Amino acid sequence: MNVLSLFDLSASQIKHVLELAGAIKVHPAGYQSSLKGRSIAMLFEKPSLRTRVSFEVGIHQLGGQAIYLDAQMVEPGQRETEEDIARNLACWTQGIVARVFKHDTLKQLTASKIPVINALCDQHHPCQSLADILTIQERYPVDLRVVDILYLGEGNNVCQSLMVGAAALDLKLTVITPPQFGPNQDFMAQLNAQYPHHKVVVGTDLNAVEHADVVYTDTWLSMGDTRSEQETLAAFSPYQVNQALVERLQATTVLHCLPAHRNHEVTDEVLDGPLSSVLQQAENRLYVQKALLHMIYQELGA
Ligand code: CP
């Protein structure tokens, strides 16, 4: 199976990955052979700290081998096609973890027939949102459907994957973006088609939000964005996560997928303050990715 987005997982598979991630977190020794004898190629077109290290460490802990491929060396689409790269990787490896500029590149990599996992593209960041939801579950060990989650910022890949996860699990998520920076319309159509009864609300008026348990933000300038800093600050500054905002909303958790642009989308005071769970969120990348790999290779027999 491929995980190009969370749309590729059923709601029950998402729940299962989260439960498994929790089990792996407390009992890692039980999963030391999940990838025994398997090698996973990691093709990265863009920079990464958390994703690269957590996948490499996770694959190692599952008994497998990770092979990092810098796209500047492989030159997808230039030295050879993405399809040819994937077909060659399938001669030696059993899966591809890929961080790419365009979602279509992931689709081209599926020519190989070995599993392809999205490690971030322009539309989705599924492993991030699995870690986000696991972190919220740990912070609120109740029925997650009563937790009010607010996402502030651009309707980007991180936001869209969180929206799919929330829709699948019937979570209450409010997404507030500056006008013109909301989620992609094609994405919204897919979300509404796959989860017609979801509880994800999208808007632009932060003043209309009276309360949130969880406040989540991400960088205002994603990798590859070309707009100027002046234009970005003008549009996004009213949506900054700061102490006044978290107090007004009576928030109890602040999340950020990192890297953070301190004192832009989130102030130092909040990012380093008692509500911040950003390092727990980063740590959880390891467990959800191990769980995803275990499910794909051990339970689904890839
Ligand atoms: N959150 C995240 O994906 O971090 P990296 O870009 O460092 O991998």
Side-chain angles (χ1 to χ4, degrees):
M1 85 175 295
N2 301 307
V3 183
L4 306 194
S5 76
L6 285 189
F7 286 128
D8 292 329
L9 299 180
S10 66
S12 60
Q13 282 177 321
I14 293 173
K15 278 183 200 157
H16 177 62
V17 169
L18 293 169
E19 284 168 11
L20 194 52
I24 288 172
K25 190 169 182 174
V26 296
H27 185 51
Y31 303 86
Q32 285 173 339
S33 301
S34 298
L35 287 181
K36 191 170 183 331
R38 291 183 172 90
S39 298
I40 307 292
M42 297 192 21
L43 179 61
F44 277 50
E45 292 183 339
K46 303 167 86 169
S48 171
L49 173 68
R50 282 146 289 273
T51 306
R52 177 181 174 178
V53 175
S54 58
F55 261 112
E56 288 203 22
V57 169
I59 290 166
H60 171 73
Q61 290 179 355
L62 293 173
Q65 175 196 29
I67 302 171
Y68 182 76
L69 298 168
D70 186 331
Q72 287 181 333
M73 180 178 70
V74 179
E75 295 185 324
Q78 295 177 38
R79 192 161 180 266
E80 56 193 315
T81 68
E82 289 80 357
E83 288 88 345
D84 283 345
I85 291 170
R87 290 186 194 108
N88 277 266
L89 288 175
C91 295
W92 319 294
T93 72
Q94 287 70 48
I96 303 172
V97 170
R99 170 167 284 204
V100 297
F101 286 101
K102 294 192 177 307
H103 189 73
D104 281 350
T105 303
L106 296 168
K107 293 183 184 170
Q108 292 166 324
L109 290 172
T110 63
S112 65
K113 307 294 182 217
I114 56 175
V116 176
I117 298 175
N118 184 354
L120 180 145
C121 69
D122 55 342
Q123 295 295 315
H124 297 279
H125 198 356
C127 298
Q128 181 65 56
S129 53
L130 290 169
D132 301 339
I133 297 169
L134 178 63
T135 307
I136 297 169
Q137 178 76 76
E138 290 174 339
R139 293 282 295 123
Y140 304 91
V142 292
D143 183 344
L144 268 195
R145 291 174 296 182
V146 305
V147 178
D148 286 312
I149 307 166
L150 172 64
Y151 177 93
L152 278 183
E154 188 177 14
N156 61 10
N157 45 11
V158 167
C159 174
Q160 292 190 167
S161 284
L162 185 66
M163 291 169 73
V164 183
L169 301 180
D170 207 23
L171 309 186
K172 291 190 288 178
L173 171 65
T174 301
V175 171
I176 299 290
T177 75
Q180 316 302 328
F181 290 100
N184 177 286
Q185 287 309 307
D186 289 343
F187 164 80
M188 287 304 303
Q190 190 176 3
L191 185 78
N192 292 333
Q194 189 152 329
Y195 295 107
H197 306 295
H198 69 73
K199 299 197 180 82
V200 180
V201 177
V202 179
T204 59
D205 185 3
L206 180 54
N207 291 324
V209 181
E210 293 180 352
H211 168 70
D213 298 301
V214 178
V215 178
Y216 190 156
T217 191
D218 186 14
T219 178
W220 293 337
L221 262 185
S222 297
M223 284 181 273
D225 282 350
T226 52
R227 64 179 178 274
S228 71
E229 183 168 344
Q230 192 180 16
E231 186 189 351
T232 301
L233 290 178
F236 285 84
S237 290
Y239 301 86
Q240 184 189 62
V241 177
N242 52 41
Q243 194 61 30
L245 179 70
V246 295
E247 284 177 12
R248 179 177 77 75
L249 297 173
Q250 296 181 291
T252 41
T253 299
V254 170
L255 299 180
H256 190 309
C257 60
L258 304 178
H261 295 75
R262 287 172 171 269
N263 301 310
H264 282 212
E265 71 271 12
V266 61
T267 59
D268 282 343
E269 186 180 18
V270 172
L271 191 67
D272 300 329
L275 304 187
S276 176
S277 293
V278 299
L279 291 179
Q280 181 180 347
Q281 190 182 1
E283 183 187 344
N284 281 338
R285 293 291 303 277
L286 175 69
Y287 310 116
V288 297
Q289 289 158 195
K290 287 175 74 175
L292 191 59
L293 290 164
H294 178 88
M295 183 181 80
I296 291 170
Y297 289 94
Q298 285 300 318
E299 298 175 359
L300 301 178

